[in-house]
Amino acid sequence: MGAVKTKRMPRAVREQQMLDAAVRTFGQRGYMAASMDEIAELAGVSKPLVYLYLNSKEDLFTACIRREAAALTEAVRAGVRPGLPADRQLWDGVQAFFAHTAERPDGWSVLHLQARTHGEPFAAEVAAMRAEIVAFVTRLVAVAAREAHRDPDLPEDEVAGLAEALVGAAESLATWANATPGVTARQAALTLMNFAWAGLGDLMQGRVWTPPAEPV
Amino acid sequence: MGAVKTKRMPRAVREQQMLDAAVRTFGQRGYMAASMDEIAELAGVSKPLVYLYLNSKEDLFTACIRREAAALTEAVRAGVRPGLPADRQLWDGVQAFFAHTAERPDGWSVLHLQARTHGEPFAAEVAAMRAEIVAFVTRLVAVAAREAHRDPDLPEDEVAGLAEALVGAAESLATWANATPGVTARQAALTLMNFAWAGLGDLMQGRVWTPPAEPV
């Protein structure tokens, strides 16, 4: 156990310390391999205190997912200032996303890998967060399309599809960037913007990609 | 059990029937809720025969993942004919991907949702398939960049990042298309190409998206 601190501390502060230790341990070891002993030691508390506060390994993991999901959506929201041009809003959101996932690689691992790998209740928590981010991006894309005065408007399904594509691309790039030495958050953000905005930008201007004529 | 067929049939044929039934059941019910009784009944065989051939629920699920992963990578590979222009190769691959995932929604659910939700060994099977597809797409993007005579060449990290973005976007769109009534495979493929190729296409021509000047 080493030096277990016993000095008085508000419960909320202790809980955050436990969650910090848990996110780090789940993110690095994986959910199955992570032990409550290790988490308690890393948090500098006794194992019974972890159980007293957070009940079980499952509940502790759920609390980690909720905290990290809330922090990620908040970071993206806070990064975007309404009123700016659409590509600027998207760039700010994309930068905020990659900065956050690069700063908190264990949190991202919990959300994107661990939570989806260990059963439906955990996966459902992450699916709810993802749906919120997709809805946010869908609004951004719809605003961009309106700004570009597309006439006729992009169909709703097309906008929803583009938002799904963008979020999927961002998830994939964040996981890749965190696993690839030397790839910075800014570089990942630029790759996504070049991939997504140049494409979306063309689309907003009515420059669609057209398939080759099919053989008859 | 109903009408359990007992007539003689080669083992390989029976196994494929069991896998068909298992993919459908795992894909629709989820791994946890799927029962071996249901799978045996759907396959028209006895439960002991399923265990005799495929050993356990875990092994049966692993066999499903392997079969569906091989079928998906084969469909994408077969769709792409080398020698054509890069956007045509990409379009053919993207069409083959969405046609396959739309035709086999249960197989896609097993690969993208179920296998990643139920523990590391299953997730590792899918990760191996994904790495293969990313490598394939990376080569396509690198060829496209060479065709466009980009000078200097796109850095290797940039090409790898673009391939990750494209695969992430495709995964996300396939799941969305299968869950959204009225969205066809062709429509999802066109959305991805408009999102990806217009962007990649600009990039290949050296038309990069540039971030706004940051406040000093």
Side-chain angles (χ1 to χ4, degrees):
Chain A
M1 279 289 159
V4 170
K5 293 186 198 105
T6 52
K7 71 167 188 280
R8 288 266 174 180
M9 203 177 276
R11 174 168 177 152
V13 175
R14 276 250 194 273
E15 269 192 23
Q16 289 308 312
Q17 288 176 340
M18 291 177 195
L19 289 176
D20 288 343
V23 167
R24 189 160 155 196
T25 310
F26 288 134
Q28 294 187 2
R29 292 242 187 289
Y31 176 66
M32 304 295 262
S35 82
M36 294 297 267
D37 282 307
E38 192 179 357
I39 292 169
E41 189 170 349
L42 192 60
V45 299
S46 69
K47 193 161 73 164
L49 196 66
V50 178
Y51 280 104
L52 180 68
Y53 279 14
L54 288 147
N55 198 41
S56 65
K57 189 175 173 183
E58 289 73 23
D59 285 359
L60 176 59
F61 190 50
T62 303
C64 289
I65 295 171
R66 288 191 182 153
R67 190 183 77 167
E68 295 305 312
L72 177 58
T73 45
E74 179 47 34
V76 172
R77 266 179 210 292
V80 175
R81 282 156 298 168
L84 295 179
D87 69 329
R88 178 60 195 255
Q89 286 196 44
L90 193 63
W91 169 239
D92 290 342
V94 160
Q95 276 189 300
F97 173 78
F98 286 104
H100 186 86
T101 53
E103 260 161 39
R104 294 168 83 134
D106 297 327
W108 178 245
S109 169
V110 162
L111 289 177
H112 188 67
L113 302 176
Q114 298 305 322
R116 306 211 291 188
T117 310
H118 297 289
E120 276 125 13
F122 302 137
E125 293 280 344
V126 175
M129 172 205 72
R130 190 183 195 277
E132 211 181 305
I133 291 190
V134 168
F136 183 71
V137 174
T138 303
R139 283 193 299 275
L140 265 186
V141 174
V143 166
R146 262 205 305 280
E147 267 184 19
H149 304 294
R150 274 298 304 270
D151 188 32
D153 280 348
L154 283 181
E156 208 171 298
D157 262 0
E158 182 77 10
V159 172
L162 291 168
E164 287 282 348
L166 207 155
V167 169
E171 290 172 329
S172 180
L173 270 171
T175 303
W176 170 77
N178 281 355
T180 309
V183 176
T184 63
R186 188 179 165 87
Q187 195 181 329
L190 270 172
T191 297
L192 183 59
M193 278 305 280
N194 264 310
F195 180 69
W197 186 258
L200 285 176
D202 266 10
L203 209 54
M204 299 308 166
Q205 302 301 324
R207 290 194 295 270
V208 298
W209 179 88
T210 45
E214 304 291 331
V216 187
Chain B
M1 280 288 161
V4 170
K5 294 188 199 102
T6 51
K7 72 167 186 284
R8 288 269 172 175
M9 202 177 274
R11 175 169 177 153
V13 176
R14 275 250 195 274
E15 269 193 21
Q16 289 307 313
Q17 288 176 342
M18 291 178 194
L19 289 176
D20 288 343
V23 167
R24 189 161 155 194
T25 310
F26 287 135
Q28 295 188 359
R29 292 239 188 290
Y31 176 66
M32 304 295 265
S35 83
M36 294 295 268
D37 281 308
E38 192 180 356
I39 291 168
E41 190 172 347
L42 192 60
V45 299
S46 70
K47 194 160 72 163
L49 196 66
V50 179
Y51 280 104
L52 179 69
Y53 279 14
L54 288 146
N55 199 41
S56 64
K57 188 175 175 182
E58 288 73 22
D59 285 359
L60 176 58
F61 190 50
T62 302
C64 289
I65 296 171
R66 288 191 182 154
R67 190 184 76 167
E68 295 305 312
L72 177 58
T73 44
E74 179 47 34
V76 172
R77 266 180 211 292
V80 176
R81 280 155 299 167
L84 295 179
D87 70 328
R88 178 58 195 256
Q89 287 196 43
L90 194 62
W91 169 237
D92 289 341
V94 160
Q95 276 188 300
F97 173 79
F98 286 104
H100 186 87
T101 53
E103 259 161 39
R104 296 168 82 135
D106 297 325
W108 178 246
S109 169
V110 162
L111 289 178
H112 189 67
L113 302 175
Q114 298 304 321
R116 306 212 289 188
T117 311
H118 297 289
E120 277 126 12
F122 301 137
E125 293 280 343
V126 175
M129 170 203 74
R130 191 183 194 276
E132 210 181 307
I133 290 189
V134 168
F136 183 70
V137 174
T138 302
R139 283 194 298 276
L140 265 187
V141 174
V143 167
R146 261 204 306 280
E147 267 184 23
H149 303 294
R150 275 293 308 270
D151 187 32
D153 280 348
L154 283 180
E156 208 171 297
D157 262 0
E158 182 77 9
V159 171
L162 291 168
E164 286 283 348
L166 207 155
V167 169
E171 290 171 331
S172 179
L173 270 172
T175 303
W176 169 78
N178 280 356
T180 309
V183 176
T184 63
R186 189 181 164 85
Q187 196 181 327
L190 269 172
T191 296
L192 182 60
M193 277 304 281
N194 264 310
F195 181 68
W197 186 257
L200 285 176
D202 266 10
L203 209 55
M204 298 309 163
Q205 301 301 323
R207 290 194 296 270
V208 297
W209 179 89
T210 46
E214 304 292 332
V216 188

